[in-house]
Structure formats: structure tokens, C-alpha cells
Amino acid sequence: MYEPYPVPKLANEHKKFRYSSLWTFAKQDLRLLAFFIVVGGLIGFGLGYFWIGIGIAFALFFAMQLRSLYLVNDWISNRPYDVPPNLNGIWGALLFNVYRAQRQERIVQSEMVSLIDRTQSSLMALSEAIIMTDDLQQIDWWNPAAEHLFGIQALDRGRNILTIIRQPDFVEYFKNVDQAPDGIKIKLASDDNTYAQIKLTHFGNESCLLVAHDITRMRNLEQMRSDFVDNISHELRTPLTVLSGYIETFKDQEDISPRWKRAFDQMQSQTKRMNALVNDLLLLSRLENDKQIAKNQIIEMPSLMNHLFDDAQAYNTDYGHTLNLDIDSHCELIGSDMELASAFSNLITNAIKYTPKGGTITIGWHDDGEHGYFSVEDTGIGIDPKHLPRLTERFYRVDSARSRATGGTGLGLAIVKHVLMQHGGHLEIESKENQGSTFIAVFPKERLYRLSEA
Ligand code: ADP
């Protein structure tokens, strides 16, 4: 079990030590005063000057108190960390209590200093780069890993962090940390290939903690994987086109025997499947690399929705579902029309595929002023909740045989997720087994465009 670092119970330490009662010590003073009065009174009485004897007794007592006061003041002003002078009475009690409180304070202080030291040395030893900035965005503190990763030097203390990490993505992230709750990945310098994952956290009064680590190796491996898939998909395209062409030609021949016709039909459906797979892989790799995707077109939603609805009806002929279109928003979407149409169409095709014949499918677009919602609701086979978290992974299928039989590539929802991510949106899935599913693509306000804004 996780055991946090044992923080000394500083507050409890104070309870250990009880302050001495002032009355106990005051009694010493009163006894001394009484002694002086009795002695002074007796001597005065003996000499015939009773009141003078009493007066001298008070004066002596007062002089002793003044001396004690002088010693206390001397100790506090000149050597407060030494052992206090040995005094009796209330002055002694006062000194004793002050000294004890002071010692206790010193213990607490040294515990705190050692706690700070331990925290600081563990931060120094971290392989993650740590930088702390104050409320003016100036660099306050950093560890050796930050020196190594960002090249920060002693001279940089007090400099604005944005003059050290100047990448536009970082500047934007620094100004609006909430836009990327998981942090951002940036290339550190244009000349070398170092990448870092950075996460910012605000604390205290507008101070900021930056945690970063080097992800160059991971990124290179990821890039290699992505390039490999990209290249192999491109390489497969040409042979597939040639094969499809020949299969098409042979299949259309009139003198072909039924046995061969069946074989060619199967070949054609398999090459189609491979083609779909290659196309999906290429699209996914393009989305991952964030390349060449214009994301600021204004997409007229009624026209896109009607288009999607017509395509759905064409695809639906074999299934005989009832299709509904429900548009309840005057907002248009800002984004990439090709990618969004492809994502929406994936959701619609899935709904048609995974709904037993004669079901009902409703394609909707609405907004609540804060978000835009593209939804596809079906009355199909539904999904067991345990599959939901992994559904958008590549090639994840609830029922592989069924998915293959319906011509699925297993990449549809991965594509949807990436397209939505590129538009600052996300996918929500509600589903009940054997009752149906609703897939909702949620878009942020910034992606909505009202005609009245024009
Ligand atoms: P596939 O090409 O296999 O359909 P997807 O990525 O589009 O791949 O979907 C992943 C899996 O999610 C599917 O194999 C299917 O099991 C499940 N799924 C997707 N949409 C639905 C739906 N509307 N109803 C039930 N299951 C679905």
C-alpha cells in the first residue's frame, strides 16, 4: 500500500510541553516579600522606626525585581539563544517558559527545514524536468533535469519562462492551460530532434509548476511505426488495384463456369475488404500525423446531414431499417468537411450494420449553446459496458466474426476518435445490450458557427 512520506506532526509537538503555572512562582515572590516585611518590621520595631523598616523591606524587594527585569531584558536583547539567567519567582518562570517555547520553536523549524531539504533533494534527483514560476511568470526554481532539457542556466533566474520556452504551441498552452488537461508535446529546438511532453499545474497565488520529460525515443519509435504502416499501405495499393481490375474483367466474362464465378465473387469481396482496410489505415495515419488537414471550413450542417441521410438510405436497402433525420440546431460546424463526413458516415454505417433487420436509426444534430452534438441512435444489438472503454482502439471488436462478416475493418471508431480529437471534440457512447446504442460526437462551442455571427 502507498505510504506517504511521514510528515512530522509539528502541531502536536506543542502539546508535549506544558507551561508552568505563574501562581506557583508568584508564591515564591510573596514569601520573599513577607520575609522582608517581617525582618524589616522587627528590626524597625526594635530600633523604634517600624514604618521605616517596612519601607526599606519594600524598597529592597523592588530593587530585586528591578535587577531581575534588567537580567531578563539583557538576555532577550543580547543572547537570546543562550541558557537564560537563573532567576527565582515570576521572572524565573517567565524566562523558563520563554526559553522552552523558543527551544520548541527551533525544533519545529529544524524539522521543517529538513522536510524542505528532503523535498528539494528528491526534486533535484528526479529525471523529470521541474520548473517553478512565480505569479509574474518568472522562473523561481528548477532542477538539473530542467537545465539539461531546456538549457536553463543560473542567469535565467527571474526571467520570464516564455522567453526560454518560446515554441508557439507552448505559449498558447501556457496562456490557456485548461485547453489540454493532459499537457502537450513539443519539439524543443528546430535544429535537433528532441521532443518533450510538458504539463503545467497552477498552485498558490498564480504560481506555476512545469513538469516535463524527454519523449524523443518514444516519438521516434511511434514515428517509425506510423511510417511503416503508411508505407506498407501505399505499397499495397498498386497490386490491389491491378488484382481488382483483373478480377472484374474475368468475372464479367460470359463463358465463365459457375464454380469460377463464385471464386471470382469471393476474390472481389476480399479485395474490396483489403482496399477498405488500406484506405482506413492511410486515413488514420494522416489523422495521427496531423498533416494537410484544413480544419477551418464552415460546413453547412443541413446539407451535410441530408447527404449523409441519402447515403444511409442507399446502404440501408439490404437491411430495411426505418431511418429518421432530426435536425434541431441552426449552428454550422467549423472543421474539415472530408474528415467529419467520413467520421459521421462511419457511425451511421455501424448503426445500420449492428442493428438486426427492421430496426430504427435516428441521425441527429443539435446544440445547447455550449456544445454541438451529432448523434446516431439505433435499436441494435448494443454493447456490453465492459467493452466501451476499449471500443475506439484500433482493431478492437466486440464480436470479430460478426464484424468481419459485415465487412468492417475494425478501424472505424479509431478514425472517428481521431477526427473528433482534431476538432477539439470527443465521442460519447451510451449502450444497452440487445436494446441499442447511441453514439454522440460532441463539439466545443468554438467549433460552432451561427449564421447570425456572420
Ligand atoms: P468495425 O469495422 O468492426 O465495425 P469499428 O471500429 O467501427 O469497427 O467498431 C468497433 C466495434 O464496435 C465493432 O466491431 C462492433 O463490435 C462495435 N460497434 C460499433 N458500433 C456499434 C453499434 N452501433 N452497435 C453495436 N456495436 C457497435
Side-chain angles (χ1 to χ4, degrees):
M1 205 178 83
Y2 168 71
E3 286 276 350
Y5 172 72
V7 178
K9 295 184 181 68
L10 302 174
N12 284 342
E13 291 289 310
H14 288 284
K15 289 183 192 154
K16 267 198 225 160
F17 110 107
R18 260 173 257 110
Y19 290 85
S20 312
S21 145
L22 213 59
W23 173 237
T24 319
F25 291 88
K27 277 196 286 195
Q28 286 179 358
D29 279 341
L30 288 178
R31 271 200 296 270
L32 185 69
L33 180 60
F35 172 74
F36 279 166
I37 290 174
V38 170
V39 174
L42 281 176
I43 296 175
F45 188 71
L47 297 175
Y49 296 104
F50 175 73
W51 287 113
I52 293 182
I54 296 285
I56 290 173
F58 270 106
L60 264 176
F61 181 76
F62 185 62
M64 282 185 75
Q65 297 300 315
L66 274 184
R67 179 181 161 270
S68 298
L69 181 62
Y70 168 78
L71 291 174
V72 169
N73 183 53
D74 180 52
W75 175 69
I76 289 177
S77 329
N78 301 327
R79 30 194 186 89
Y81 296 108
D82 287 356
V83 181
N86 194 8
L87 296 176
N88 289 324
I90 48 171
W91 292 110
L94 183 76
L95 274 189
F96 185 65
N97 285 339
V98 169
Y99 182 60
R100 273 223 309 218
Q102 201 188 50
R103 249 185 41 196
Q104 191 61 31
E105 226 31 70
R106 258 181 279 157
I107 293 170
V108 172
Q109 211 174 33
S110 76
E111 276 171 352
M112 284 180 72
V113 168
S114 91
L115 184 67
I116 292 171
D117 276 354
R118 283 185 69 125
T119 315
Q120 202 164 21
S121 45
S122 56
L123 288 178
M124 298 287 267
L126 271 183
S127 58
E128 275 86 9
I130 312 271
I131 303 175
M132 286 182 202
T133 61
D134 61 15
D135 51 343
L136 297 172
Q137 308 178 355
Q138 289 165 347
I139 298 183
D140 235 4
W141 189 91
W142 64 91
N143 67 353
E147 270 171 32
H148 183 71
L149 197 61
F150 298 106
I152 301 180
Q153 299 162 0
L155 283 175
D156 295 326
R157 188 180 302 279
R159 266 181 72 184
N160 190 310
I161 189 160
L162 297 180
T163 61
I164 307 244
I165 311 175
R166 279 183 281 192
Q167 284 76 351
D169 281 355
F170 177 75
V171 177
E172 201 181 311
Y173 173 53
F174 193 85
K175 288 181 180 153
N176 186 7
V177 176
D178 295 337
Q179 71 176 4
D182 296 331
I184 54 158
K185 291 177 186 150
I186 58 164
K187 191 175 182 183
L188 284 181
S190 48
D191 44 345
D192 80 335
N193 256 352
T194 312
Y195 289 84
Q197 166 87 34
I198 299 184
K199 172 119 179 59
L200 290 171
T201 313
H202 284 295
F203 68 97
N205 187 17
E206 283 300 302
S207 300
C208 194
L209 175 77
L210 178 151
V211 182
H213 60 271
D214 193 337
I215 51 159
T216 312
R217 212 178 108 74
M218 224 169 70
R219 222 202 103 94
N220 286 347
L221 286 172
E222 183 67 16
Q223 192 61 45
M224 262 167 65
R225 181 196 62 78
S226 168
D227 288 350
F228 175 75
V229 174
D230 210 26
N231 289 339
I232 209 150
S233 311
H234 271 297
E235 292 301 324
L236 280 173
R237 254 190 164 172
T238 319
L240 267 176
T241 317
V242 175
L243 278 177
S244 312
Y246 278 119
I247 291 168
E248 190 94 9
T249 318
F250 287 135
K251 214 187 83 173
D252 289 346
Q253 280 180 356
E254 279 164 13
D255 53 347
I256 189 168
S257 74
R259 236 177 90 208
W260 276 107
K261 177 143 178 27
R262 219 173 39 247
F264 280 126
D265 277 348
Q266 267 186 15
M267 281 191 227
Q268 192 179 38
S269 95
Q270 291 305 324
T271 44
K272 265 192 188 157
R273 219 166 84 79
M274 274 180 86
N275 236 327
L277 192 61
V278 165
N279 286 338
D280 277 1
L281 279 172
L282 282 172
L283 175 58
L284 204 51
S285 140
R286 200 154 58 90
L287 287 168
E288 270 182 340
N289 289 326
D290 200 10
K291 282 182 209 149
Q292 307 154 353
I293 299 172
K295 280 176 281 196
N296 44 17
Q297 296 156 338
I298 295 174
I299 303 159
E300 287 178 22
M301 281 311 275
S303 135
L304 175 65
M305 293 294 283
N306 281 312
H307 203 82
L308 290 169
F309 190 71
D310 291 344
D311 288 350
Q313 266 179 329
Y315 188 66
N316 185 38
T317 40
D318 290 344
Y319 295 85
H321 302 312
T322 307
L323 299 186
N324 301 317
L325 186 61
D326 172 19
I327 305 177
D328 178 24
S329 164
H330 297 293
C331 285
E332 315 291 11
L333 250 184
I334 304 172
S336 154
D337 56 356
M338 288 263 291
E339 271 69 32
L340 285 169
S342 152
F344 295 162
S345 143
N346 264 320
L347 293 179
I348 298 171
T349 319
N350 277 351
I352 296 177
K353 277 192 315 190
Y354 297 110
T355 299
K357 281 185 181 173
T360 306
I361 286 152
T362 308
I363 309 167
W365 170 241
H366 68 275
D367 77 282
D368 60 7
E370 282 300 311
H371 295 97
Y373 303 92
F374 172 85
S375 59
V376 182
E377 188 181 347
D378 65 50
T379 53
I381 58 171
I383 305 157
D384 186 330
K386 73 174 184 219
H387 296 290
L388 294 182
R390 299 194 56 194
L391 218 56
T392 53
E393 282 175 22
R394 275 160 235 227
F395 298 115
Y396 187 86
R397 289 145 164 152
V398 175
D399 178 349
S400 303
R402 183 178 205 136
S403 166
R404 280 200 196 93
T406 53
T409 61
L411 294 171
L413 291 182
I415 291 175
V416 173
K417 178 180 136 185
H418 273 89
V419 170
L420 295 185
M421 257 164 52
Q422 295 238 355
H423 289 81
H426 65 272
L427 183 66
E428 284 177 8
I429 309 169
E430 293 159 14
S431 187
K432 275 211 180 107
E433 250 185 313
N434 301 322
Q435 289 189 28
S437 317
T438 309
F439 285 73
I440 308 168
V442 185
F443 294 92
K445 201 176 176 180
E446 305 79 65
R447 286 279 159 197
L448 303 180
Y449 179 84
R450 279 172 208 280
L451 282 176
S452 55
E453 285 172 13

